[in-house]
Amino acid sequence: MSSDCGCSGSSCCSGDGTVIYSCSGQSNLGQVANEVALRLREEGVGTMACLVGVASGVEGMVVGARDASKRILIDGCPVKCGLKAFEKAGLKPDAYFVVSELGLKKSSARPAEEDINKVLLYAKGMVGGKLK
């Protein structure tokens, strides 16, 4: 782990195994993406790491992303900030999707549990197929 990471020993810069990155934007779609990433982590799919750290070029976080055996990236909306951050860092996700492409509409409301569960179910199926 690079000393430039600043993670205090957490796994956010680790390149071991599968690492999950997600949008965490202010809209419901960003919040759904982040919650789905958290639940995937809790279910043992992989660890989570800081997408903003990758986007801002924090050396340890970029190196950790490059060293990951698999990278999952979840964007919230059609702006695709996460994918742009990956591209800027020279990274490609092994599994990627955009929450809005699953039929959810962007708003400033809190995400509904029903929407989170819909996206989580999709993510589990997509990730399972892409990472095996």
Side-chain angles (χ1 to χ4, degrees):
M1 179 166 64
S2 169
S3 60
D4 189 22
C5 180
C7 294
S8 301
S10 76
S11 63
C12 74
C13 295
S14 172
D16 298 338
T18 299
V19 184
I20 307 163
Y21 298 86
S22 71
C23 171
S24 58
Q26 65 81 32
S27 77
N28 62 319
L29 300 177
Q31 295 306 305
V32 167
N34 191 62
E35 184 62 29
V36 167
L38 287 166
R39 292 184 189 187
L40 290 172
R41 180 194 68 194
E42 289 166 357
E43 293 184 18
V45 172
T47 61
M48 279 184 73
C50 182
L51 181 58
V52 174
V54 172
S56 61
V58 175
E59 182 184 354
M61 293 184 185
V62 173
V63 169
R66 284 192 185 126
D67 291 347
S69 61
K70 300 287 183 183
R71 291 174 293 275
I72 300 169
L73 175 59
I74 307 169
D75 259 324
C77 73
V79 177
K80 299 180 181 177
C81 297
L83 189 59
K84 289 174 184 170
F86 262 45
E87 289 170 349
K88 184 177 178 182
L91 300 167
K92 291 185 179 182
D94 296 287
Y96 173 73
F97 70 94
V98 181
V99 171
S100 64
E101 292 176 2
L102 302 177
L104 278 67
K105 302 294 180 203
K106 192 173 188 176
S107 77
S108 59
R110 288 185 179 269
E113 189 66 27
E114 166 184 320
D115 291 340
I116 294 167
N117 289 332
K118 173 184 176 179
V119 176
L120 181 60
L121 185 63
Y122 174 83
K124 286 179 181 179
M126 188 272 306
V127 166
K130 295 269 185 176
L131 299 183
K132 288 186 178 179

